[in-house]
Structure formats: structure tokens, C-alpha cells
């Protein structure tokens, strides 16, 4: 029963507040209720009124009506704080999965000033925002993310309790734009690309059948499939085989270069390699199933590759989707062959 009520409530709210990157607040989409302090204040007024009626005390009547007038005046002021205010998403930022992703917001006041405004999403809160009448204020709201992919909060809440904290007026912005969360980088094991880069790669690649392996000590991040387990059983030393026959062009970062790793782990390896190549100023390309980014260099190229890694296998959120913490969908069966 509770779930059914919540679903009907959300549906009613969504009809009143459709998805948009800009929302102007008015009596059609503003809500106001007493706070805990306001409820106690109202109960005291009721007790004072009953006492005044019982004792026919004019002073108690006076105090009751004066305080009641203050309550009604506070109600109008609290509502007017948000009435005419416009909240907009100017642009969305990018970041790493697990971190806060910035949403850039703009608040524009109407003919009245907006005092003590609070903007929040989940546990991220911007408090005590003041916007003079007719002015604008740009703020950055950090939105939490958990997984790589598109990040779009279902609702951004705006609220005020000015002037006395007896009532709260609130509403929501349901943004249509989504931010991107990059895969969290993980130190990648040494692995060669399977992408042929022309004559240069052909000259550097060993001839077919020349699968000579270089042995080196085990390092954190190496795949267990490359460990020489028989040697470990005999000597107790963990060594890793780098098969030269698997090496391709050094200019390519290849999704298929990490056999045995799942898709999300491969993307994390590639994110680390992209950042490493950008830091070194090296030229590199990115090979993903269904998408190829030609070799280039520079920070702009690195950001393009990271955006491709973030959005790979994901669909942009539709109007009814709420992706508060990012997306992480299971891979289609067609991608399973990439790990073979």
C-alpha cells in the first residue's frame, strides 16, 4: 500500500514538474508546510486560544491574534521567497565514478529578492543563498556518482524556511541534461594492442609463430592468466610471461588487449592508460568495440577518449529515467566475444 501511494505521489509530482533544464517557480509548482517548530507554534496558539475563551481574558486574546498574524505573515513571506525564482542547469560537468560530478546551476530572482535559499540533491547541499531582486547567481552543485556512465539526478530540491523557520516552501527541478562519470582508473597490466598500424607495426611485430616470452617478476595489476604457475609451484617465485607474439601497434589502446578481464575492468585499465599517455604527451588511439578514435595527442584528445570510455555500452537517459548515481549495465552477448 505504501509503495502504491508513493508511486502515485511521484506520478502526480512528475506531471506538475516535467523534465526541463529550466524551471520557474510559482503557485502551480510550489509546496508549503509547517516545520516541526511551526507545528509546535500552532499547538501553542490553539492552547492560548482555548485558555482565552475559558477565562475570557482580553490580553490572552490579543497575544493569540498577534502571534497568529505573525504566523500568517511568515507564510506569505516564505512562499514569496521562491515565487518568481528561476532555477536552470547551464551545463553539466564530468568526473570520475565514485566522485561528485559538478552541475552548474543559475538562479534568477524575479521582482522580489530570494533570501536564505537552499539547493540540494541527496547529501549534497548548498545553503544560505541570497539573490537580490532581478539578479542572477551561478552556483555549482556536486552530484554524487557510484558507477561510470551517465549521471542525472531525478530531482534537484530547492527550499527556503525564511523568515522564522516556522514554515518551509519547496519545489524541484527535474533536469533533462546528464553528466558523465569516467571509469575509475586502475593500474593496467602490460598488454599489447591487437590493432595493426600499418608498416611501422608490421616491422615491429615478431613473425608469426615467434611467441617468445619475456619473464619478469609479478607486479600488482598483472592478470593471473599470465603468471607461470608451474614455475611458482617449483620455486615459489611469481613470474609473469610477456608474450611478444601478442604485441601490436604501440600507438593504440585496445579493449581486446586484456584477455580474461571483464568489460568494466578493461575500461578502468584503459582510463588509466589514457591518463598516463596524456601525461607523457604521447600519441595514441583508442579501439573500442563499435568505436575507434584515431591516434592523436593532447589533453583534448584524452578527454574525448575518456568520454568514449564513460559512454561505451550505455544509452543516454530518457525522460522517465532517473540515474542519480550513474549507470552500469550488463554487457550484451555480442560483447562476450571480446574477452575471448
Amino acid at each position: 500500500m505504501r509503495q502504491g501511494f508513493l508511486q502515485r505521489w511521484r506520478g502526480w509530482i512528475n506531471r506538475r514538474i516535467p523534465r526541463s533544464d529550466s524551471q520557474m517557480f510559482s503557485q502551480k509548482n510550489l509546496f508549503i508546510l509547517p516545520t516541526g517548530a511551526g507545528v509546535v507554534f500552532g499547538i501553542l496558539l490553539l492552547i492560548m486560544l482555548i485558555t482565552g475563551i475559558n477565562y475570557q481574558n482580553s490580553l490572552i486574546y490579543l497575544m493569540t491574534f498577534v502571534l497568529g498574524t505573525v504566523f500568517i505573515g511568515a507564510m506569505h513571506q516564505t512562499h514569496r521567497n521562491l515565487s518568481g525564482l528561476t532555477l536552470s542547469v547551464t551545463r553539466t560537468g564530468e568526473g570520475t565514478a565514485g566522485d561528485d560530478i559538478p552541475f552548474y546551476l543559475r538562479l534568477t530572482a524575479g521582482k522580489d529578492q530570494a533570501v536564505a535559499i537552499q539547493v540540494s540533491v541527496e547529501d549534497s547541499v548548498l545553503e544560505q543563498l541570497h539573490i537580490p531582486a532581478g539578479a542572477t547567481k551561478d552556483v555549482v552543485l556536486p552530484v554524487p556518482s557510484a558507477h561510470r556512465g551517465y549521471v542525472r539526478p531525478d530531482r534537484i530540491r530547492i527550499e527556503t524556511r525564511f523568515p522564522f523557520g516556522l514554515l518551509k516552501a519547496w519545489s524541484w527541478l527535474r533536469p533533462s541534461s546528464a553528466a558523465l562519470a569516467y571509469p575509475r582508473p586502475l593500474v593496467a597490466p602490460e598488454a599489447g594492442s591487437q590493432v595493426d598500424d600499418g608498416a611501422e607495426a608490421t616491422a615491429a611485430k615478431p613473425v608469426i609463430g615467434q611467441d617468445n616470452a619475456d619473464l619478469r617478476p609479478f607486479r600488482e595489476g598483472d592478470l593471473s592468466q599470465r603468471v607461470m604457475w608451474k614455475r611458482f609451484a617449483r620455486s615459489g617465485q611469481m613470474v609473469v610471461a610477456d608474450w611478444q607474439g601478442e604485441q601490436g601497434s604501440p600507438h593504440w589502446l585496445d579493449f581486446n588487449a586484456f584477455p580474461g578481464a571483464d568489460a568494466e575492468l578493461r575500461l578502468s585499465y584503459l582510463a588509466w592508460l589514457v591518463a598516463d599517455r596524456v601525461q607523457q604527451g604521447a600519441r595514441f588511439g583508442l579501439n573500442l568495440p563499435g568505436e575507434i578514435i584515431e591516434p592523436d595527442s593532447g589533453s583534448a584528445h584524452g578527454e574525448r577518449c575518456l568520454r568514449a570510455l564513460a559512454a561505451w555500452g550505455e544509452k543516454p537517459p530518457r525522460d522517465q529515467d532517473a540515474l542519480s548515481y550513474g549507470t552500469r549495465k550488463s554487457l550484451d552477448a555480442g560483447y562476450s566475444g571480446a574477452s575471448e
Side-chain angles (χ1 to χ4, degrees):
M1 183 180 296
R2 183 172 180 270
Q3 281 297 113
F5 173 77
L6 289 177
Q7 289 179 358
R8 288 193 294 271
W9 166 254
R10 293 192 189 101
W12 182 76
I13 292 296
N14 293 344
R15 287 192 297 271
R16 293 183 68 91
I17 307 177
R19 282 208 175 273
S20 174
D21 282 337
S22 182
Q23 181 72 54
M24 187 177 76
F25 303 109
S26 65
Q27 61 182 8
K28 295 181 179 180
N29 52 28
L30 280 176
F31 308 88
I32 185 167
L33 281 175
T35 62
V39 172
V40 173
F41 188 84
I43 293 173
L44 289 177
L45 285 181
L46 180 60
I47 294 173
M48 290 175 62
L49 179 61
I50 294 174
T51 304
I53 294 173
N54 185 51
Y55 291 101
Q56 290 297 308
N57 190 309
S58 301
L59 182 59
I60 297 179
Y61 278 133
L62 176 62
M63 290 298 299
T64 302
F65 295 145
V66 168
L67 293 177
T69 303
V70 170
F71 187 84
I72 294 173
M75 183 187 303
H76 285 283
Q77 179 59 49
T78 302
H79 184 272
R80 195 171 66 173
N81 252 359
L82 292 184
S83 182
L85 182 68
T86 301
L87 178 61
S88 307
V89 177
T90 56
R91 65 186 179 95
T92 58
E94 298 167 350
T96 304
D99 297 337
D100 290 339
I101 311 298
F103 272 64
Y104 297 87
L105 308 178
R106 174 168 295 168
L107 294 98
T108 304
K111 61 181 181 180
D112 298 315
Q113 62 178 348
V115 185
I117 304 299
Q118 174 181 293
V119 180
S120 64
V121 57
E122 301 299 333
D123 295 329
S124 179
V125 181
L126 301 176
E127 295 182 329
Q128 300 301 319
L129 302 176
H130 173 68
I131 305 97
T136 62
K137 186 178 186 67
D138 293 326
V139 297
V140 179
L141 179 66
V143 175
S145 66
H147 306 296
R148 65 103 187 168
Y150 293 98
V151 178
R152 185 181 71 178
D154 183 31
R155 296 172 187 169
I156 296 176
R157 182 184 175 97
I158 184 168
E159 179 183 315
T160 182
R161 301 190 180 197
F162 184 83
F164 302 125
L166 299 176
L167 299 109
K168 62 178 178 182
W170 78 94
S171 189
W172 296 279
L173 169 69
R174 303 179 63 236
S176 55
S177 298
L180 272 177
Y182 303 145
R184 181 165 288 279
L186 292 176
V187 178
E190 294 186 7
S193 166
Q194 299 179 14
V195 180
D196 190 357
D197 199 19
E200 181 181 351
T202 303
K205 186 175 181 179
V207 296
I208 298 176
Q210 189 180 356
D211 286 341
N212 297 322
D214 291 334
L215 301 181
R216 57 172 178 79
F218 177 84
R219 294 196 293 263
E220 183 180 358
D222 287 331
L223 296 175
S224 60
Q225 291 86 345
R226 295 182 179 272
V227 177
M228 305 294 290
W229 294 109
K230 292 183 179 180
R231 182 185 292 264
F232 174 73
R234 291 195 304 266
S235 63
Q237 296 179 347
M238 292 189 69
V239 294
V240 175
D242 283 337
W243 299 98
Q244 295 182 5
E246 297 175 357
Q247 300 298 318
S249 169
H251 298 302
W252 285 93
L253 304 181
D254 190 4
F255 181 89
N256 299 315
F258 307 99
D262 64 30
E264 294 299 328
L265 186 57
R266 295 182 190 212
L267 295 175
S268 293
Y269 286 159
L270 291 172
W272 182 85
L273 289 171
V274 167
D276 183 63
R277 295 292 178 90
V278 171
Q279 185 177 11
Q280 295 176 6
R283 179 182 174 85
F284 67 94
L286 180 64
N287 179 44
L288 294 171
E291 183 174 5
I292 294 178
I293 299 179
E294 294 297 328
D296 202 345
S297 61
S299 58
H301 177 62
E303 291 176 0
R304 181 187 175 192
C305 292
L306 289 175
R307 284 194 291 269
L309 293 174
W312 182 81
E314 305 291 339
K315 295 181 180 179
R318 297 172 296 175
D319 284 350
Q320 65 267 33
D321 294 335
L323 304 174
S324 301
Y325 299 101
T327 56
R328 185 175 179 177
K329 300 180 178 63
S330 58
L331 295 179
D332 295 334
Y335 295 130
S336 60
S339 60
E340 297 177 358

